Amino acid sequence: LYTWDLATGERTESRMPKIEKEKAKNAGWPVTNRDVSKVAVPRSDGRIEIWEQSDAPPRILRGHDGPLALAMSRDGKTLVSTDKKGTTLVWDLSVAEPTGRPLFQGRPLAAMNLSPDGRTLVARDSDPTSRAGGALATWDVASGERRASIDPAAVGLGHIDTPFLAFSPDGRYVVGNPK
C-alpha cells in the first residue's frame, strides 16, 4: 500500500506496513480514514485486516463469508462491511467488534460510503432484478432506519453501475456515476 504527501508529491510508504496483495479476485477495495492512520483491507475469505501506523500486525475482524465491500468513517472509529450474502455489519474499531446486530441481512450491497459525520450510510443494492442495477438509499447507521431512496432508472437517470459512491463535504449530496 502506498501513500503520497500531496503537498510535496513524495511517496510515504514507510507510514504504513507493506500489505501483501491477494491473488484471489473480488477481494474488494481497501478503505482508510481521513489522515491515513488506519486502513481496512478486505480479504476474499471474509476476513478484514485493520492496519495502523505501527510495526504491529493487523487486527483481524471476522464475521463475513466471501468478498467484501467496506466504508470507514473519516475519524477511523467506525467501519461498515458487507459480504456477498448481504450481511452488513457496523464495527466499533476501538474494540474491533460489531456494534450489535447486523445492519442488514440478505441485502447484498454493490457500493457504499459513510457521510462525513459517519452517521449516514449511502449504498447501492446489487439487486439483479432492478431495472437500474439496484436502488440508491441512505440509512441511519445507529438505528438501521432508511432515510431516503431513489431508483435512478425510474426518474430518468439511467443505470447506476458504479462501485463508488461519495458524499459532498457537507453531507447533503451523493455522487454516483450513471452508465
Side-chain angles (χ1 to χ4, degrees), residues 31 70-74 80 111-116 120-124 137-139 141 163-167 174-175:
V31 295
L70 305 174
M72 187 183 292
S73 63
R74 291 182 180 187
V80 179
M112 63 182 179
N113 206 339
L114 284 168
S115 61
T120 302
L121 177 74
V122 63
R124 179 176 65 84
T138 59
W139 289 271
V141 172
F164 303 103
L165 296 170
F167 275 94
V174 172
V175 177

Side-chain angles (χ1 to χ4, degrees), residues 73-115:
S73 63
R74 291 182 180 187
D75 63 11
K77 294 178 181 178
T78 304
L79 181 76
V80 179
S81 59
T82 189
D83 65 24
K84 65 183 179 180
K85 292 185 177 179
T87 299
T88 299
L89 300 173
V90 178
W91 300 85
D92 176 346
L93 292 181
S94 67
V95 294
E97 294 288 334
T99 58
R101 64 176 174 71
L103 190 60
F104 308 119
Q105 288 188 305
R107 175 182 284 186
L109 302 177
M112 63 182 179
N113 206 339
L114 284 168
S115 61

Side-chain angles (χ1 to χ4, degrees), residues 3-177:
T3 60
W4 284 266
D5 180 329
L6 294 179
T8 65
E10 293 182 22
R11 196 165 81 186
T12 59
E13 73 266 15
S14 62
R15 293 185 62 208
M16 292 301 291
K18 183 174 179 171
I19 298 172
E20 295 296 322
K21 185 175 180 182
E22 192 171 40
K23 292 182 181 176
K25 292 183 179 181
N26 298 322
W29 296 95
V31 295
T32 185
N33 62 335
R34 178 181 28 240
D35 66 1
V36 195
S37 62
K38 194 175 291 181
V39 177
V41 179
R43 297 302 190 179
S44 62
D45 64 0
R47 289 177 299 126
I48 303 167
E49 296 175 354
I50 305 297
W51 293 86
E52 299 191 40
Q53 290 183 5
S54 70
D55 293 330
R59 291 184 295 158
I60 305 296
L61 308 181
R62 299 184 192 278
H64 285 292
D65 181 25
L68 302 167
L70 305 174
M72 187 183 292
S73 63
R74 291 182 180 187
D75 63 11
K77 294 178 181 178
T78 304
L79 181 76
V80 179
S81 59
T82 189
D83 65 24
K84 65 183 179 180
K85 292 185 177 179
T87 299
T88 299
L89 300 173
V90 178
W91 300 85
D92 176 346
L93 292 181
S94 67
V95 294
E97 294 288 334
T99 58
R101 64 176 174 71
L103 190 60
F104 308 119
Q105 288 188 305
R107 175 182 284 186
L109 302 177
M112 63 182 179
N113 206 339
L114 284 168
S115 61
D117 64 10
R119 296 188 304 201
T120 302
L121 177 74
V122 63
R124 179 176 65 84
D125 290 337
S126 61
D127 179 2
T129 64
S130 168
R131 296 181 307 161
L136 294 175
T138 59
W139 289 271
D140 180 275
V141 172
S143 70
E145 181 180 326
R146 183 181 283 214
R147 290 185 172 166
S149 65
I150 185 172
D151 180 345
V155 295
L157 296 177
H159 184 98
I160 302 289
D161 195 28
T162 181
F164 303 103
L165 296 170
F167 275 94
S168 62
D170 64 5
R172 292 183 58 208
Y173 301 98
V174 172
V175 177
N177 187 25

